[in-house]
Amino acid sequence: MAKSKKAKEKEAAPAATGSFRAALRAGEGFDLLALDTGSTPGFDGDKEAGEALMPELAETAGDLQERLYAESKLGGKRKVLLVIQGMDTSGKGGIMRHVVGAMDPQGSEITSFKSPTKEELSHHFLWRIRKALPKPGMIGVFDRSHYEDVLIVRVHNLVPPEEWGQRYGEINAFEQEVVGDDTTVIKVMLHISSDEQKERLMERLDRPDKHWKFNPGDIEQRREWPDYMEAYQAAIEKCSTDVAPWYVVPADKKWYARLAVMNLLIEHLEELDPQWPEVDFDVEEQKQLLAET
Amino acid sequence: MAKSKKAKEKEAAPAATGSFRAALRAGEGFDLLALDTGSTPGFDGDKEAGEALMPELAETAGDLQERLYAESKLGGKRKVLLVIQGMDTSGKGGIMRHVVGAMDPQGSEITSFKSPTKEELSHHFLWRIRKALPKPGMIGVFDRSHYEDVLIVRVHNLVPPEEWGQRYGEINAFEQEVVGDDTTVIKVMLHISSDEQKERLMERLDRPDKHWKFNPGDIEQRREWPDYMEAYQAAIEKCSTDVAPWYVVPADKKWYARLAVMNLLIEHLEELDPQWPEVDFDVEEQKQLLAET
């Protein structure tokens, strides 16, 4: 229990200003294009200050995650689903590495959704998503998600407009159901500018150790940037619900995006406030028995 | 490529004495009971020196892992399977957290094998194991494994002796096949003493934040310690093959066990020597196209 107190003291550290949830939530009248992708909502420190906070935030997140996991071992059903969306190079991989990777790998599971396979395409678009939902005590992380079915699918009309048009409602109903199954859903869009993407793609071409991350199709997609922004705007507008709101994280500054997602995760876990579970055996008796072995 | 050179310089750091593979491999005439569980084969430094090495070893492992992953994106088929076995409290969870958790979570996948489900029991014992084998570019990690089917199953005679008696040969044939499918198999037993286990179980009873990790059945199992040691000895003797040898890691010192497994992983990855893959597009042409967007 001492650890919890320690974690709570740490959380009160100076530079993490206020609530990232409040600062980043896409609410009524949200306008993606009006958002400054280089800004740092909820935080008034610089890169150095932000990076300096990460180790203790990682410890806080790790502690909360372990409690959530422990809770499930004695029957707890709660779990967390972190959905990460964003254009190519927006830093999804960095979030996996530096935020998810900062916690015990036994308590989280990343699922990367690529282009659907033939089998996946033969099912409803939510079929593969349902299979990847987190188990009790776990933090499930989606690297891309069911939102691709109203993003690339919409931009390229991979299904008729009537069909993708219906999906927003289906997604809301699905997420309502997931939340009803004791899942805390945190949906994050990493939002970069087109210029920032250009720089990051150029870096991939400049560095031989980054070549493998580059795909000539990435350039093609840049022409569709406005269509993608429109599709993101629609997805956020239609699917930022009370039970599962969207958080839009300005992501031109990688250090800020990581700090923001880490804090979003912690704020949600703190609301869950998982506790070390009470065991159903007599501890003193077990000590006695153990001593005799 | 600069990173590779850096990684190689680091690897030559003083305190990591020689090859952990050579020091820990269970060869001809291996005797589990004769092994000092408090020793530190392959390393002559103390705890402080061992822990100080971990951050740079983590970086080396992370770099090699990323190359293996990158290789697979352009058609490479190689992958690694790290099998972790050991008695309760031997530190399997700590290896997951501190060794596996030190690498990018996108490049590794942990599978924990619990008591088999009804469905799993209705299949051959290797059925659930095959489903969890790593994909190209990945480091698959088994927290317990098919060896449970010749450990707890043998100690408790959960299947007739003729049946578990056959399994050693089946395991060897299976592992031969896995290795033939471009998988580097690293099998590790974390070896603690019975006294060390007693202390660790007592700690779980002493600390309310550890109670959930304790199971009254753990005390029961302590009576079977000699039977388990016999079963481990048999498994290691019969299944430490040239293509998939066993490494037995003295694990009374947690810091040493972590250092040893990290080094075993690195030594195997270095032998694979994965390289950043050559891409099949014209880099200069792509730069030109990108600049025009």
Side-chain angles (χ1 to χ4, degrees), chain A residues 165-206:
Chain A
Q166 276 189 5
R167 290 184 175 176
Y168 301 100
E170 292 182 83
I171 287 174
N172 287 342
F174 166 68
E175 290 179 356
Q176 171 86 58
E177 177 195 320
V178 171
V179 169
D181 189 30
D182 289 321
T183 310
T184 297
V185 177
I186 312 170
K187 300 185 297 194
V188 171
M189 179 200 177
L190 301 175
H191 187 29
I192 55 170
S193 68
S194 174
D195 286 350
E196 179 68 22
Q197 187 191 54
K198 190 171 179 172
E199 267 180 51
R200 293 185 185 181
L201 286 173
M202 201 56 93
E203 198 199 346
R204 289 185 179 178
L205 288 169
D206 280 336

Side-chain angles (χ1 to χ4, degrees), chain B:
Chain B
M1 304 289 167
K3 213 171 168 188
S4 166
K5 206 178 137 218
K6 197 171 138 210
K8 280 193 181 125
E9 277 165 18
K10 279 189 175 165
E11 194 211 326
T17 57
S19 159
F20 284 79
R21 278 172 82 160
L24 297 169
R25 182 171 171 158
E28 202 65 33
F30 173 78
D31 182 357
L32 187 62
L33 295 182
L35 191 71
D36 178 358
T37 54
S39 63
T40 62
F43 187 70
D44 55 17
D46 61 3
K47 181 178 179 179
E48 202 186 350
E51 287 181 343
L53 282 171
M54 287 299 274
E56 59 190 46
L57 290 172
E59 208 182 303
T60 302
D63 177 54
L64 288 161
Q65 180 217 27
E66 192 179 355
R67 288 161 181 267
L68 184 71
Y69 185 80
E71 183 184 276
S72 76
K73 292 294 140 190
L74 279 103
K77 297 272 177 247
R78 302 192 296 177
K79 49 258 184 191
V80 171
L81 174 62
L82 175 65
V83 172
I84 305 289
Q85 283 286 158
M87 298 295 283
D88 277 332
T89 76
S90 62
K92 298 184 291 295
I95 296 294
M96 301 305 146
R97 192 167 193 152
H98 298 281
V99 179
V100 182
M103 295 180 293
D104 191 325
Q106 296 168 100
S108 61
E109 190 176 8
I110 296 172
T111 307
S112 288
F113 291 98
K114 317 276 183 199
S115 296
T117 62
K118 222 173 153 182
E119 189 191 11
E120 286 167 350
L121 282 172
S122 77
H123 291 274
H124 187 272
F125 77 99
L126 292 171
W127 178 75
R128 65 176 184 162
I129 306 296
R130 284 182 192 277
K131 289 206 300 176
L133 288 171
K135 293 186 180 61
M138 296 291 286
I139 298 179
V141 185
F142 285 179
D143 176 357
R144 303 185 184 272
S145 67
H146 43 301
Y147 281 95
E148 292 297 319
D149 295 287
V150 290
L151 292 167
I152 186 170
V153 168
R154 169 178 164 141
V155 170
H156 291 174
N157 273 312
L158 299 179
V159 301
E162 313 81 70
E163 196 172 331
W164 59 249
Q166 275 189 8
R167 288 184 176 175
Y168 300 100
E170 291 182 82
I171 286 173
N172 286 342
F174 166 68
E175 290 179 357
Q176 171 87 58
E177 177 196 320
V178 171
V179 169
D181 189 30
D182 289 321
T183 310
T184 298
V185 176
I186 313 170
K187 301 186 295 194
V188 171
M189 178 200 178
L190 301 175
H191 187 29
I192 55 171
S193 69
S194 175
D195 286 349
E196 178 68 21
Q197 187 191 55
K198 190 170 180 173
E199 267 181 50
R200 292 184 186 181
L201 287 173
M202 202 55 94
E203 198 200 346
R204 288 185 180 178
L205 287 169
D206 280 335
R207 289 177 50 177
D209 64 332
K210 299 275 187 198
H211 282 173
W212 65 279
K213 291 190 174 186
F214 184 87
N215 181 333
D218 296 347
I219 292 177
E220 205 83 9
Q221 275 210 336
R222 283 181 54 71
R223 281 195 220 113
E224 300 161 340
W225 189 273
D227 298 337
Y228 273 102
M229 290 307 107
E230 205 178 290
Y232 267 106
Q233 171 73 32
I236 292 166
E237 239 175 67
K238 293 175 198 282
C239 301
S240 197
T241 58
D242 282 343
V243 294
W246 268 103
Y247 298 96
V248 180
V249 174
D252 282 358
K253 294 185 169 78
K254 287 181 183 174
W255 66 266
Y256 170 74
R258 292 167 192 172
L259 179 74
V261 178
M262 182 70 98
N263 274 289
L264 283 173
L265 192 58
I266 289 173
E267 289 173 19
H268 282 85
L269 284 167
E270 277 171 346
E271 193 179 66
L272 288 177
D273 194 23
Q275 300 297 323
W276 300 118
E278 293 289 332
V279 290
D280 53 7
F281 52 80
D282 181 331
V283 173
E284 290 310 315
E285 184 185 65
Q286 293 298 320
K287 281 189 193 175
Q288 190 60 40
L289 286 168
L290 177 59
E292 286 162 11
T293 65

Side-chain angles (χ1 to χ4, degrees), chain A residues 3-278:
Chain A
K3 214 170 167 190
S4 165
K5 206 178 137 217
K6 196 172 139 210
K8 281 195 178 123
E9 279 164 16
K10 278 188 174 163
E11 191 213 328
T17 58
S19 158
F20 283 79
R21 278 172 84 161
L24 296 169
R25 181 172 171 158
E28 201 67 32
F30 172 79
D31 182 358
L32 186 63
L33 295 182
L35 190 71
D36 178 358
T37 54
S39 62
T40 63
F43 187 71
D44 55 17
D46 60 5
K47 181 178 178 177
E48 203 186 347
E51 287 182 343
L53 281 171
M54 287 299 273
E56 60 190 44
L57 290 171
E59 209 183 302
T60 301
D63 177 52
L64 288 161
Q65 180 218 27
E66 192 180 355
R67 288 161 181 268
L68 184 71
Y69 184 80
E71 183 183 277
S72 76
K73 292 295 140 191
L74 278 103
K77 296 271 177 248
R78 302 191 296 178
K79 49 257 186 192
V80 172
L81 174 62
L82 175 64
V83 173
I84 306 289
Q85 283 285 159
M87 298 294 285
D88 277 332
T89 76
S90 61
K92 298 185 291 295
I95 295 294
M96 301 305 145
R97 193 168 193 150
H98 298 281
V99 178
V100 182
M103 294 181 294
D104 190 325
Q106 295 168 100
S108 61
E109 191 177 10
I110 298 172
T111 308
S112 288
F113 291 99
K114 317 275 183 200
S115 296
T117 63
K118 223 172 154 184
E119 188 191 12
E120 287 168 349
L121 282 172
S122 76
H123 291 275
H124 187 271
F125 77 99
L126 292 171
W127 179 76
R128 64 176 184 162
I129 306 296
R130 284 182 193 278
K131 289 205 301 175
L133 287 171
K135 294 186 178 61
M138 296 291 287
I139 299 179
V141 185
F142 284 180
D143 176 359
R144 303 185 185 271
S145 67
H146 43 301
Y147 282 94
E148 292 297 319
D149 295 287
V150 289
L151 292 168
I152 188 172
V153 168
R154 169 178 165 144
V155 170
H156 291 173
N157 274 310
L158 299 179
V159 301
E162 314 81 70
E163 195 172 331
W164 59 251
Q166 276 189 5
R167 290 184 175 176
Y168 301 100
E170 292 182 83
I171 287 174
N172 287 342
F174 166 68
E175 290 179 356
Q176 171 86 58
E177 177 195 320
V178 171
V179 169
D181 189 30
D182 289 321
T183 310
T184 297
V185 177
I186 312 170
K187 300 185 297 194
V188 171
M189 179 200 177
L190 301 175
H191 187 29
I192 55 170
S193 68
S194 174
D195 286 350
E196 179 68 22
Q197 187 191 54
K198 190 171 179 172
E199 267 180 51
R200 293 185 185 181
L201 286 173
M202 201 56 93
E203 198 199 346
R204 289 185 179 178
L205 288 169
D206 280 336
R207 289 177 50 179
D209 64 334
K210 298 276 185 197
H211 282 172
W212 64 279
K213 291 190 173 186
F214 184 87
N215 181 333
D218 296 346
I219 292 176
E220 205 83 9
Q221 274 211 338
R222 283 181 55 71
R223 280 193 219 111
E224 298 160 343
W225 189 273
D227 297 337
Y228 272 102
M229 290 306 108
E230 206 178 289
Y232 266 106
Q233 171 73 32
I236 292 166
E237 238 175 69
K238 293 175 198 283
C239 301
S240 197
T241 58
D242 282 343
V243 295
W246 268 103
Y247 299 96
V248 180
V249 174
D252 282 358
K253 295 184 168 79
K254 286 180 183 174
W255 65 265
Y256 169 75
R258 292 167 192 172
L259 179 73
V261 178
M262 181 68 98
N263 274 288
L264 284 173
L265 192 57
I266 289 173
E267 288 174 21
H268 283 85
L269 284 167
E270 277 172 345
E271 194 179 66
L272 289 176
D273 195 24
Q275 300 297 323
W276 299 118
E278 293 290 332

